[in-house]
Amino acid sequence: MTTKHRCRKCGAPPVINMPQHRLALCAEHFPQWIVEQTERFIRKYHMFTHEDRLLAAVSGGKDSLSLWDILWQLGYTVDGLYISLGIDDGTGYSAESQAKADQFAAQRNLKLIVVDVPALYGESIPQMTQRSQRSKGKPCSVCGLVKRRIMDQIARDNGYDVLVTGHNLDDEAATLLANTLIWDADRILRQQPVLEAHHPALRRKAKPLFRFYEREMAAYALLRKIDYIYDECPYAEGTRSIFFKQLLNRLETVQPGAKLKFYLSFLQARESGLFNITAEGITDENMSIGAGGKPLYTCPSCGQPTIVPGLCAFCRLVG
Ligand code: AMP
Ligand code: FES
Ligand code: ZN
Ligand code: ZN
């Protein structure tokens, strides 16, 4: 850090400089700023209130544990959910990440719900992947499907009002870039900081960290002494999402603030009606409309929403 930067609040040497905000902050004021900003975003985007019961999906990584820490400091009623995927492959990834989540909850006396996928379904995520059509050998797509389903189901069955996840700006901008390059309208329309429950079996979903850069969350976790799993999932290497994150980081070095601007301009474009949608194909009053304006059907086996009539993708996978 060069000497021209000083903490804007107290003038002390800063721990972080955020060129996109023209803001540098010290070790004391940076974590406070993150907490205050999160509260501001929760209100600005109408994510939830102090009356709501929140369920934070925690992976044992820096973002989701930091999110739980922030919401806890802000006095929200928030329990955690850890999904054990059975990803071990000699790395001990699932066991280690669960240990981080367990330890975090125990230190703060918070409730953590643990769902063990191999114990519940008789197969780990890599095993399910082997017999699935969804992916070309990589478990990420099956993993995403199973995680989303378990999150929805636990939130619904345990009476939570809102499900919160630790997605940061780097995650959201990379997803947006991937979807925009092929103009995947359905996915683009579903990408929102807050996604209302479009079906009786769903709960509202919110991403309170969506405006923070990944490096800011890493700095926050470090300063708050949050013990998280540093390693990525062993299957993350070489994924499209990492590639797009790297591309955006290259853009950011020549154009500070580009990542944030890309995502916020998307939200503005949506506000101003660029993506106005009409509900098509609603033929039955019991059908719901999804975020993309398409009808949502109800899976006859599990009661969860599905975009095609009949068994949902999850029931086809585990059924
Ligand atoms: P990812 O899809 O791995 O980028 O993770 C995005 C968000 O999903 C994280 O910030 C967590 O909130 C949640 N998440 C990811 N993995 C798990 C897990 N194993 N158990 C619970 N929540 C998870
Ligand atoms: Fe699901 Fe890596 S965390 S495949
Ligand atoms: Zn300061
Ligand atoms: Zn189903």
Side-chain angles (χ1 to χ4, degrees):
M1 188 84 39
T2 55
T3 48
K4 75 180 163 79
H5 298 295
R6 290 269 169 240
C7 172
R8 186 190 286 174
K9 302 243 163 143
C10 70
V15 285
I16 192 161
N17 178 31
M18 296 172 281
Q20 77 278 21
H21 302 306
R22 296 175 196 273
L23 177 66
L25 290 168
C26 71
E28 185 193 339
H29 289 117
F30 173 68
Q32 278 179 16
W33 178 83
I34 290 277
V35 174
E36 288 160 12
Q37 290 292 99
T38 308
E39 179 75 313
R40 192 166 80 80
F41 301 145
I42 291 168
R43 288 169 198 253
K44 179 175 164 79
Y45 296 96
H46 308 290
M47 293 187 177
F48 40 82
T49 68
H50 282 269
E51 312 307 311
D52 288 316
R53 281 189 73 216
L54 313 179
L55 181 66
V58 292
S59 63
K62 63 179 185 320
D63 302 298
S64 48
L65 288 183
S66 295
L67 173 61
W68 203 5
D69 178 69
I70 295 167
L71 296 177
W72 172 68
Q73 285 188 69
L74 287 168
Y76 286 98
T77 308
V78 53
D79 295 339
L81 165 66
Y82 174 81
I83 303 165
S84 178
L85 306 160
I87 296 180
D88 284 304
D89 310 52
T91 60
Y93 175 75
S94 284
E96 199 187 323
S97 49
Q98 184 176 345
K100 302 294 185 194
D102 275 335
Q103 174 186 288
F104 180 97
Q107 283 168 348
R108 292 159 183 79
N109 208 12
L110 290 168
K111 176 176 169 187
L112 177 69
I113 300 173
V114 175
V115 174
D116 185 332
V117 170
L120 203 56
Y121 300 107
E123 279 179 320
S124 67
I125 295 293
Q127 285 167 334
M128 284 181 190
T129 306
Q130 280 180 357
R131 45 170 198 82
S132 158
Q133 311 289 316
R134 287 183 76 85
S135 43
K136 300 160 202 91
K138 279 252 177 201
C140 305
S141 157
V142 166
C143 181
L145 169 71
V146 173
K147 281 194 294 200
R148 278 194 300 278
R149 166 50 56 92
I150 292 174
M151 289 177 197
D152 284 335
Q153 201 155 346
I154 296 289
R156 179 190 64 174
D157 293 350
N158 295 277
Y160 291 100
D161 300 299
V162 186
L163 175 76
V164 294
T165 51
H167 294 90
N168 59 39
L169 185 85
D170 293 46
D171 297 325
E172 293 302 292
T175 306
L176 182 62
L177 179 58
N179 292 337
T180 309
L181 285 175
I182 52 166
W183 290 104
D184 186 332
D186 277 352
R187 283 176 197 251
I188 293 172
L189 284 167
R190 263 185 274 133
Q191 212 190 337
Q192 301 182 31
V194 195
L195 194 58
E196 291 302 332
H198 288 279
H199 184 275
L202 298 178
R203 292 293 170 266
R204 185 189 298 163
K205 297 190 175 94
K207 302 173 184 170
L209 305 183
F210 83 99
R211 288 182 59 154
F212 297 121
Y213 283 21
E214 188 165 321
R215 66 186 275 268
E216 292 158 13
M217 293 324 299
Y220 177 86
L222 201 73
L223 291 165
R224 289 281 297 162
K225 298 190 172 48
I226 294 172
D227 185 12
Y228 64 88
I229 181 157
Y230 291 96
D231 295 325
E232 292 263 10
C233 160
Y235 297 108
E237 208 184 310
T239 53
R240 253 173 18 126
S241 121
I242 292 202
F243 174 71
F244 286 124
K245 280 183 184 174
Q246 288 166 344
L247 268 182
L248 286 165
N249 281 338
R250 284 177 59 185
L251 179 63
E252 184 78 21
T253 51
V254 285
Q255 212 178 307
K259 273 191 291 202
L260 184 61
K261 191 152 188 234
F262 175 52
Y263 195 77
L264 292 185
S265 330
F266 158 64
L267 293 186
Q268 267 169 13
R270 177 203 289 283
E271 280 276 292
S272 59
L274 183 63
F275 303 107
N276 268 355
I277 50 167
T278 50
E280 310 158 4
I282 304 296
T283 54
D284 174 336
E285 61 183 345
N286 295 319
M287 284 163 63
S288 310
I289 309 165
K294 296 255 170 70
L296 282 181
Y297 301 88
T298 299
C299 170
S301 172
C302 69
Q304 293 280 332
T306 164
I307 49 173
V308 281
L311 282 185
C312 70
F314 181 82
C315 288
R316 280 184 274 124
L317 176 72
V318 301

